[in-house]
Amino acid sequence: MANGIRIGIAGAGLGGVAAAGLLERAGFDVVLYDQAPGFSRLGAGIQFGPNVLKILAQLDGLDKELEAISCLPDYWVSRKWDDGTIMAKIPLNAERSRYGAPYITIHRGDLHQRMLERISPERVRWGHKLIDFSDNGREVALTFENGALEIVDILIGADGINSCVREKLFGMDEAVYTGWIAHRAIISGQAAKALGADVNAKWWSDDRHIVCYYLDREESEFYLVTGEPAEWTSRAGQLPSSREALREAFKGFHPLVQGYIDATDVVTKWPLKTRQPLPVWHQGRTVLLGDACHPMKPHMAQGAAMAVEDAAVLALSLAKLGVSDLNHTFGAYYTARKERATKVQSISNANTWLKQPEDPYWCYGDNVYDLSFG
């Protein structure tokens, strides 16, 4: 172990799992805690660009395994909502050699499961909801809802937009509802193919959109996710919805979109929330990553990607700069990540990404392993 340093990570989402895997390989004694009773295959799609696949390659070649099971779109296509006019056609895997890694679309649960498989099972503690912690300057004492008490040398808060760790460090601060919700549904790939679906496309009107793509190499599942203005008064993070609600929200959209909606069965919706950028991501022996410090609307498909990038840079910072001066180490991590994460957050919230022709190389071509730490 790296001088026997024990690192606790609150939150076994994609960012937390990436951090656990990378830190374990760097020699740290890592424990990953999550409030869920166990892994479940949540019904959602996700897109990961070359910027993330380069990081996942460090987890025993996970990039290759994911490439073998994912859909590999050659292009991102933006279409006009009513007549389907192509507004932008952006090369993705069509320019793979330029990016140095693939662009994948996949079921989030399949991705999550394979990432978890890269961590020693004994390091994952399901059913552990962190409710409090205290830092005495030498170690961090963790208190869990199930009564468990743990001691770690460093605590990483990877526990999402409603982060307990963030709240403890910087005070109670409600996430801001953006005035938008997202619907999501999965239809059969067979139904999508029969309709003549694009492999990966976003349909835009002035005030809403729907993104549609396959979730696997065999193209057996096809994912729909929207962004639209709506009221939201529930405290719930997700609610059931319906085909009828989706149809009403996208009334007048192109017949291909109507065909997708007609093929839906289970439809859910959730509120899109955000927060203002934090001026600092750490305090004492505790540090944040991902949505815990820079949540964003999902309109660049980069929220989870930024969490994984955070995890990689944090692991590099700890491995290269050490733990004797955590303020310096965590400060270097923050400095390396702040500008990029804030830029992505801003563009995501504005919902302009790839609507018109542009070169996304600054985002997808990035490689965190090119960073140097002084």
mmCIF file of all heavy atoms in Angstrom, residues 327-362:
data_model
loop_
_atom_site.group_PDB
_atom_site.id
_atom_site.type_symbol
_atom_site.label_atom_id
_atom_site.label_comp_id
_atom_site.label_asym_id
_atom_site.label_seq_id
_atom_site.Cartn_x
_atom_site.Cartn_y
_atom_site.Cartn_z
ATOM 1 N N ASN A 327 -3.174 19.993 1.383
ATOM 2 C CA ASN A 327 -3.665 21.261 0.844
ATOM 3 C C ASN A 327 -3.008 21.551 -0.504
ATOM 4 O O ASN A 327 -3.675 21.999 -1.450
ATOM 5 C CB ASN A 327 -3.383 22.399 1.820
ATOM 6 C CG ASN A 327 -4.096 23.674 1.426
ATOM 7 O OD1 ASN A 327 -5.320 23.693 1.261
ATOM 8 N ND2 ASN A 327 -3.343 24.755 1.249
ATOM 9 N N HIS A 328 -1.727 21.239 -0.609
ATOM 10 C CA HIS A 328 -1.012 21.417 -1.878
ATOM 11 C C HIS A 328 -1.495 20.405 -2.911
ATOM 12 O O HIS A 328 -1.764 20.760 -4.069
ATOM 13 C CB HIS A 328 0.488 21.260 -1.660
ATOM 14 C CG HIS A 328 1.283 21.261 -2.931
ATOM 15 N ND1 HIS A 328 1.368 22.358 -3.756
ATOM 16 C CD2 HIS A 328 2.005 20.272 -3.531
ATOM 17 C CE1 HIS A 328 2.117 22.070 -4.815
ATOM 18 N NE2 HIS A 328 2.519 20.804 -4.697
ATOM 19 N N THR A 329 -1.625 19.148 -2.511
ATOM 20 C CA THR A 329 -2.043 18.093 -3.440
ATOM 21 C C THR A 329 -3.446 18.344 -3.962
ATOM 22 O O THR A 329 -3.699 18.282 -5.177
ATOM 23 C CB THR A 329 -1.979 16.721 -2.743
ATOM 24 O OG1 THR A 329 -0.619 16.453 -2.381
ATOM 25 C CG2 THR A 329 -2.485 15.609 -3.649
ATOM 26 N N PHE A 330 -4.371 18.627 -3.052
ATOM 27 C CA PHE A 330 -5.750 18.878 -3.479
ATOM 28 C C PHE A 330 -5.858 20.197 -4.252
ATOM 29 O O PHE A 330 -6.682 20.325 -5.161
ATOM 30 C CB PHE A 330 -6.686 18.897 -2.276
ATOM 31 C CG PHE A 330 -6.855 17.564 -1.596
ATOM 32 C CD1 PHE A 330 -7.252 17.484 -0.258
ATOM 33 C CD2 PHE A 330 -6.633 16.387 -2.279
ATOM 34 C CE1 PHE A 330 -7.435 16.259 0.365
ATOM 35 C CE2 PHE A 330 -6.800 15.146 -1.659
ATOM 36 C CZ PHE A 330 -7.187 15.093 -0.337
ATOM 37 N N GLY A 331 -5.022 21.157 -3.890
ATOM 38 C CA GLY A 331 -5.004 22.416 -4.631
ATOM 39 C C GLY A 331 -4.537 22.220 -6.064
ATOM 40 O O GLY A 331 -5.068 22.846 -6.998
ATOM 41 N N ALA A 332 -3.555 21.349 -6.255
ATOM 42 C CA ALA A 332 -3.063 21.048 -7.601
ATOM 43 C C ALA A 332 -4.147 20.348 -8.419
ATOM 44 O O ALA A 332 -4.318 20.634 -9.615
ATOM 45 C CB ALA A 332 -1.811 20.175 -7.514
ATOM 46 N N TYR A 333 -4.866 19.437 -7.791
ATOM 47 C CA TYR A 333 -6.002 18.767 -8.444
ATOM 48 C C TYR A 333 -7.048 19.788 -8.879
ATOM 49 O O TYR A 333 -7.506 19.784 -10.036
ATOM 50 C CB TYR A 333 -6.583 17.736 -7.478
ATOM 51 C CG TYR A 333 -8.032 17.363 -7.673
ATOM 52 C CD1 TYR A 333 -8.459 16.680 -8.810
ATOM 53 C CD2 TYR A 333 -8.984 17.676 -6.691
ATOM 54 C CE1 TYR A 333 -9.803 16.333 -8.966
ATOM 55 C CE2 TYR A 333 -10.316 17.323 -6.841
ATOM 56 C CZ TYR A 333 -10.720 16.665 -7.986
ATOM 57 O OH TYR A 333 -12.040 16.313 -8.139
ATOM 58 N N TYR A 334 -7.413 20.686 -7.983
ATOM 59 C CA TYR A 334 -8.414 21.714 -8.282
ATOM 60 C C TYR A 334 -7.952 22.607 -9.431
ATOM 61 O O TYR A 334 -8.713 22.883 -10.370
ATOM 62 C CB TYR A 334 -8.665 22.540 -7.027
ATOM 63 C CG TYR A 334 -9.561 23.744 -7.230
ATOM 64 C CD1 TYR A 334 -10.942 23.603 -7.247
ATOM 65 C CD2 TYR A 334 -9.026 25.018 -7.399
ATOM 66 C CE1 TYR A 334 -11.777 24.699 -7.418
ATOM 67 C CE2 TYR A 334 -9.847 26.122 -7.563
ATOM 68 C CZ TYR A 334 -11.213 25.954 -7.577
ATOM 69 O OH TYR A 334 -12.032 27.036 -7.757
ATOM 70 N N THR A 335 -6.700 23.034 -9.385
ATOM 71 C CA THR A 335 -6.163 23.905 -10.426
ATOM 72 C C THR A 335 -6.176 23.214 -11.784
ATOM 73 O O THR A 335 -6.494 23.831 -12.812
ATOM 74 C CB THR A 335 -4.728 24.337 -10.080
ATOM 75 O OG1 THR A 335 -4.753 25.060 -8.841
ATOM 76 C CG2 THR A 335 -4.123 25.196 -11.163
ATOM 77 N N ALA A 336 -5.845 21.923 -11.796
ATOM 78 C CA ALA A 336 -5.815 21.168 -13.047
ATOM 79 C C ALA A 336 -7.203 20.950 -13.637
ATOM 80 O O ALA A 336 -7.344 20.797 -14.855
ATOM 81 C CB ALA A 336 -5.128 19.822 -12.817
ATOM 82 N N ARG A 337 -8.221 20.946 -12.792
ATOM 83 C CA ARG A 337 -9.561 20.574 -13.241
ATOM 84 C C ARG A 337 -10.547 21.735 -13.353
ATOM 85 O O ARG A 337 -11.510 21.658 -14.125
ATOM 86 C CB ARG A 337 -10.164 19.552 -12.260
ATOM 87 C CG ARG A 337 -9.499 18.210 -12.273
ATOM 88 C CD ARG A 337 -9.650 17.529 -13.622
ATOM 89 N NE ARG A 337 -11.056 17.325 -13.953
ATOM 90 C CZ ARG A 337 -11.533 17.244 -15.206
ATOM 91 N NH1 ARG A 337 -10.725 17.397 -16.232
ATOM 92 N NH2 ARG A 337 -12.819 17.047 -15.415
ATOM 93 N N LYS A 338 -10.344 22.797 -12.597
ATOM 94 C CA LYS A 338 -11.364 23.833 -12.445
ATOM 95 C C LYS A 338 -11.800 24.447 -13.780
ATOM 96 O O LYS A 338 -12.994 24.527 -14.083
ATOM 97 C CB LYS A 338 -10.845 24.912 -11.507
ATOM 98 C CG LYS A 338 -11.762 26.128 -11.366
ATOM 99 C CD LYS A 338 -13.085 25.786 -10.731
ATOM 100 C CE LYS A 338 -13.885 27.046 -10.433
ATOM 101 N NZ LYS A 338 -15.190 26.753 -9.833
ATOM 102 N N GLU A 339 -10.858 24.889 -14.590
ATOM 103 C CA GLU A 339 -11.204 25.602 -15.824
ATOM 104 C C GLU A 339 -11.971 24.696 -16.785
ATOM 105 O O GLU A 339 -13.002 25.091 -17.351
ATOM 106 C CB GLU A 339 -9.943 26.125 -16.507
ATOM 107 C CG GLU A 339 -10.233 26.910 -17.775
ATOM 108 C CD GLU A 339 -8.979 27.475 -18.422
ATOM 109 O OE1 GLU A 339 -7.892 27.371 -17.813
ATOM 110 O OE2 GLU A 339 -9.087 28.026 -19.539
ATOM 111 N N ARG A 340 -11.496 23.478 -16.969
ATOM 112 C CA ARG A 340 -12.150 22.563 -17.908
ATOM 113 C C ARG A 340 -13.541 22.158 -17.412
ATOM 114 O O ARG A 340 -14.513 22.172 -18.175
ATOM 115 C CB ARG A 340 -11.280 21.325 -18.112
ATOM 116 C CG ARG A 340 -11.890 20.283 -19.059
ATOM 117 C CD ARG A 340 -10.853 19.221 -19.386
ATOM 118 N NE ARG A 340 -11.408 18.049 -20.026
ATOM 119 C CZ ARG A 340 -11.631 17.934 -21.331
ATOM 120 N NH1 ARG A 340 -11.357 18.937 -22.142
ATOM 121 N NH2 ARG A 340 -12.127 16.820 -21.834
ATOM 122 N N ALA A 341 -13.654 21.805 -16.144
ATOM 123 C CA ALA A 341 -14.951 21.394 -15.603
ATOM 124 C C ALA A 341 -15.962 22.537 -15.675
ATOM 125 O O ALA A 341 -17.142 22.321 -15.997
ATOM 126 C CB ALA A 341 -14.796 20.909 -14.168
ATOM 127 N N THR A 342 -15.514 23.755 -15.391
ATOM 128 C CA THR A 342 -16.404 24.912 -15.436
ATOM 129 C C THR A 342 -16.842 25.210 -16.865
ATOM 130 O O THR A 342 -17.999 25.559 -17.117
ATOM 131 C CB THR A 342 -15.725 26.142 -14.817
ATOM 132 O OG1 THR A 342 -15.375 25.844 -13.459
ATOM 133 C CG2 THR A 342 -16.642 27.347 -14.841
ATOM 134 N N LYS A 343 -15.925 25.060 -17.816
ATOM 135 C CA LYS A 343 -16.270 25.274 -19.228
ATOM 136 C C LYS A 343 -17.321 24.270 -19.684
ATOM 137 O O LYS A 343 -18.322 24.639 -20.332
ATOM 138 C CB LYS A 343 -15.013 25.151 -20.096
ATOM 139 C CG LYS A 343 -15.273 25.349 -21.585
ATOM 140 C CD LYS A 343 -13.971 25.259 -22.383
ATOM 141 C CE LYS A 343 -14.216 25.473 -23.876
ATOM 142 N NZ LYS A 343 -12.950 25.433 -24.664
ATOM 143 N N VAL A 344 -17.125 23.009 -19.356
ATOM 144 C CA VAL A 344 -18.082 21.976 -19.742
ATOM 145 C C VAL A 344 -19.427 22.213 -19.056
ATOM 146 O O VAL A 344 -20.492 22.083 -19.668
ATOM 147 C CB VAL A 344 -17.532 20.572 -19.426
ATOM 148 C CG1 VAL A 344 -18.604 19.508 -19.608
ATOM 149 C CG2 VAL A 344 -16.335 20.266 -20.322
ATOM 150 N N GLN A 345 -19.391 22.578 -17.788
ATOM 151 C CA GLN A 345 -20.626 22.881 -17.054
ATOM 152 C C GLN A 345 -21.391 24.015 -17.726
ATOM 153 O O GLN A 345 -22.615 23.941 -17.912
ATOM 154 C CB GLN A 345 -20.285 23.247 -15.609
ATOM 155 C CG GLN A 345 -21.506 23.488 -14.725
ATOM 156 C CD GLN A 345 -21.103 23.960 -13.327
ATOM 157 O OE1 GLN A 345 -20.170 24.741 -13.165
ATOM 158 N NE2 GLN A 345 -21.810 23.485 -12.315
ATOM 159 N N SER A 346 -20.690 25.047 -18.130
ATOM 160 C CA SER A 346 -21.328 26.210 -18.749
ATOM 161 C C SER A 346 -21.953 25.860 -20.095
ATOM 162 O O SER A 346 -23.106 26.217 -20.375
ATOM 163 C CB SER A 346 -20.284 27.321 -18.930
ATOM 164 O OG SER A 346 -20.842 28.428 -19.605
ATOM 165 N N ILE A 347 -21.221 25.120 -20.942
ATOM 166 C CA ILE A 347 -21.755 24.741 -22.250
ATOM 167 C C ILE A 347 -22.904 23.764 -22.103
ATOM 168 O O ILE A 347 -23.917 23.844 -22.821
ATOM 169 C CB ILE A 347 -20.636 24.159 -23.130
ATOM 170 C CG1 ILE A 347 -19.574 25.228 -23.412
ATOM 171 C CG2 ILE A 347 -21.196 23.618 -24.441
ATOM 172 C CD1 ILE A 347 -18.336 24.697 -24.112
ATOM 173 N N SER A 348 -22.780 22.836 -21.162
ATOM 174 C CA SER A 348 -23.861 21.873 -20.919
ATOM 175 C C SER A 348 -25.137 22.587 -20.511
ATOM 176 O O SER A 348 -26.228 22.285 -21.009
ATOM 177 C CB SER A 348 -23.453 20.885 -19.824
ATOM 178 O OG SER A 348 -22.382 20.082 -20.226
ATOM 179 N N ASN A 349 -25.016 23.517 -19.596
ATOM 180 C CA ASN A 349 -26.194 24.234 -19.115
ATOM 181 C C ASN A 349 -26.813 25.107 -20.200
ATOM 182 O O ASN A 349 -28.033 25.321 -20.230
ATOM 183 C CB ASN A 349 -25.833 25.073 -17.891
ATOM 184 C CG ASN A 349 -25.551 24.221 -16.661
ATOM 185 O OD1 ASN A 349 -25.886 23.046 -16.613
ATOM 186 N ND2 ASN A 349 -24.921 24.805 -15.665
ATOM 187 N N ALA A 350 -25.989 25.598 -21.135
ATOM 188 C CA ALA A 350 -26.493 26.442 -22.222
ATOM 189 C C ALA A 350 -27.176 25.621 -23.313
ATOM 190 O O ALA A 350 -27.965 26.156 -24.096
ATOM 191 C CB ALA A 350 -25.350 27.253 -22.819
ATOM 192 N N ASN A 351 -26.865 24.321 -23.396
ATOM 193 C CA ASN A 351 -27.460 23.417 -24.377
ATOM 194 C C ASN A 351 -27.229 23.900 -25.816
ATOM 195 O O ASN A 351 -28.168 24.056 -26.605
ATOM 196 C CB ASN A 351 -28.959 23.230 -24.123
ATOM 197 C CG ASN A 351 -29.536 22.074 -24.952
ATOM 198 O OD1 ASN A 351 -28.821 21.151 -25.321
ATOM 199 N ND2 ASN A 351 -30.829 22.147 -25.243
ATOM 200 N N THR A 352 -25.960 24.091 -26.149
ATOM 201 C CA THR A 352 -25.591 24.488 -27.503
ATOM 202 C C THR A 352 -24.642 23.489 -28.170
ATOM 203 O O THR A 352 -24.353 23.620 -29.364
ATOM 204 C CB THR A 352 -24.891 25.858 -27.485
ATOM 205 O OG1 THR A 352 -23.743 25.794 -26.614
ATOM 206 C CG2 THR A 352 -25.828 26.948 -26.996
ATOM 207 N N TRP A 353 -24.175 22.494 -27.446
ATOM 208 C CA TRP A 353 -23.114 21.596 -27.900
ATOM 209 C C TRP A 353 -23.514 20.826 -29.156
ATOM 210 O O TRP A 353 -24.508 20.107 -29.155
ATOM 211 C CB TRP A 353 -22.755 20.633 -26.778
ATOM 212 C CG TRP A 353 -21.642 19.668 -27.041
ATOM 213 C CD1 TRP A 353 -21.734 18.309 -27.051
ATOM 214 C CD2 TRP A 353 -20.263 19.974 -27.275
ATOM 215 N NE1 TRP A 353 -20.512 17.738 -27.289
ATOM 216 C CE2 TRP A 353 -19.580 18.743 -27.427
ATOM 217 C CE3 TRP A 353 -19.545 21.166 -27.379
ATOM 218 C CZ2 TRP A 353 -18.212 18.678 -27.673
ATOM 219 C CZ3 TRP A 353 -18.175 21.098 -27.633
ATOM 220 C CH2 TRP A 353 -17.528 19.860 -27.776
ATOM 221 N N LEU A 354 -22.739 20.993 -30.222
ATOM 222 C CA LEU A 354 -22.882 20.278 -31.490
ATOM 223 C C LEU A 354 -24.213 20.552 -32.198
ATOM 224 O O LEU A 354 -24.611 19.787 -33.071
ATOM 225 C CB LEU A 354 -22.676 18.764 -31.297
ATOM 226 C CG LEU A 354 -21.371 18.327 -30.621
ATOM 227 C CD1 LEU A 354 -21.246 16.812 -30.633
ATOM 228 C CD2 LEU A 354 -20.146 18.975 -31.260
ATOM 229 N N LYS A 355 -24.869 21.633 -31.834
ATOM 230 C CA LYS A 355 -26.100 22.007 -32.549
ATOM 231 C C LYS A 355 -25.770 22.459 -33.961
ATOM 232 O O LYS A 355 -26.526 22.209 -34.901
ATOM 233 C CB LYS A 355 -26.831 23.123 -31.791
ATOM 234 C CG LYS A 355 -28.192 23.472 -32.399
ATOM 235 C CD LYS A 355 -28.931 24.494 -31.547
ATOM 236 C CE LYS A 355 -30.332 24.751 -32.098
ATOM 237 N NZ LYS A 355 -31.081 25.723 -31.242
ATOM 238 N N GLN A 356 -24.642 23.137 -34.108
ATOM 239 C CA GLN A 356 -24.135 23.580 -35.396
ATOM 240 C C GLN A 356 -22.755 22.954 -35.615
ATOM 241 O O GLN A 356 -22.130 22.470 -34.670
ATOM 242 C CB GLN A 356 -24.041 25.108 -35.429
ATOM 243 C CG GLN A 356 -25.354 25.823 -35.159
ATOM 244 C CD GLN A 356 -26.396 25.568 -36.239
ATOM 245 O OE1 GLN A 356 -26.048 25.274 -37.379
ATOM 246 N NE2 GLN A 356 -27.672 25.695 -35.887
ATOM 247 N N PRO A 357 -22.261 22.952 -36.858
ATOM 248 C CA PRO A 357 -20.938 22.355 -37.102
ATOM 249 C C PRO A 357 -19.855 22.996 -36.233
ATOM 250 O O PRO A 357 -19.742 24.213 -36.153
ATOM 251 C CB PRO A 357 -20.706 22.657 -38.588
ATOM 252 C CG PRO A 357 -22.073 22.753 -39.175
ATOM 253 C CD PRO A 357 -22.920 23.395 -38.104
ATOM 254 N N GLU A 358 -19.097 22.179 -35.555
ATOM 255 C CA GLU A 358 -17.966 22.636 -34.752
ATOM 256 C C GLU A 358 -17.023 21.464 -34.537
ATOM 257 O O GLU A 358 -17.394 20.301 -34.729
ATOM 258 C CB GLU A 358 -18.423 23.209 -33.405
ATOM 259 C CG GLU A 358 -19.132 22.223 -32.486
ATOM 260 C CD GLU A 358 -19.514 22.833 -31.134
ATOM 261 O OE1 GLU A 358 -18.595 23.221 -30.384
ATOM 262 O OE2 GLU A 358 -20.715 22.919 -30.837
ATOM 263 N N ASP A 359 -15.807 21.764 -34.141
ATOM 264 C CA ASP A 359 -14.801 20.731 -33.893
ATOM 265 C C ASP A 359 -14.752 20.442 -32.395
ATOM 266 O O ASP A 359 -14.330 21.302 -31.616
ATOM 267 C CB ASP A 359 -13.433 21.207 -34.387
ATOM 268 C CG ASP A 359 -12.364 20.124 -34.269
ATOM 269 O OD1 ASP A 359 -12.660 19.035 -33.737
ATOM 270 O OD2 ASP A 359 -11.219 20.372 -34.719
ATOM 271 N N PRO A 360 -15.154 19.238 -31.966
ATOM 272 C CA PRO A 360 -15.171 18.930 -30.529
ATOM 273 C C PRO A 360 -13.860 18.384 -29.978
ATOM 274 O O PRO A 360 -13.830 17.827 -28.887
ATOM 275 C CB PRO A 360 -16.272 17.865 -30.441
ATOM 276 C CG PRO A 360 -16.153 17.123 -31.738
ATOM 277 C CD PRO A 360 -15.744 18.147 -32.774
ATOM 278 N N TYR A 361 -12.763 18.573 -30.743
ATOM 279 C CA TYR A 361 -11.502 17.955 -30.334
ATOM 280 C C TYR A 361 -11.034 18.426 -28.963
ATOM 281 O O TYR A 361 -10.457 17.651 -28.205
ATOM 282 C CB TYR A 361 -10.409 18.221 -31.374
ATOM 283 C CG TYR A 361 -9.136 17.457 -31.092
ATOM 284 C CD1 TYR A 361 -9.010 16.127 -31.475
ATOM 285 C CD2 TYR A 361 -8.077 18.048 -30.409
ATOM 286 C CE1 TYR A 361 -7.859 15.400 -31.197
ATOM 287 C CE2 TYR A 361 -6.925 17.336 -30.125
ATOM 288 C CZ TYR A 361 -6.820 16.020 -30.522
ATOM 289 O OH TYR A 361 -5.685 15.294 -30.230
ATOM 290 N N TRP A 362 -11.285 19.696 -28.626
ATOM 291 C CA TRP A 362 -10.833 20.205 -27.322
ATOM 292 C C TRP A 362 -11.417 19.379 -26.185
ATOM 293 O O TRP A 362 -10.800 19.254 -25.116
ATOM 294 C CB TRP A 362 -11.202 21.674 -27.144
ATOM 295 C CG TRP A 362 -12.671 21.937 -26.978
ATOM 296 C CD1 TRP A 362 -13.564 22.264 -27.957
ATOM 297 C CD2 TRP A 362 -13.425 21.874 -25.765
ATOM 298 N NE1 TRP A 362 -14.835 22.415 -27.442
ATOM 299 C CE2 TRP A 362 -14.772 22.183 -26.083
ATOM 300 C CE3 TRP A 362 -13.108 21.595 -24.430
ATOM 301 C CZ2 TRP A 362 -15.796 22.212 -25.129
ATOM 302 C CZ3 TRP A 362 -14.121 21.619 -23.480
ATOM 303 C CH2 TRP A 362 -15.439 21.928 -23.834
#
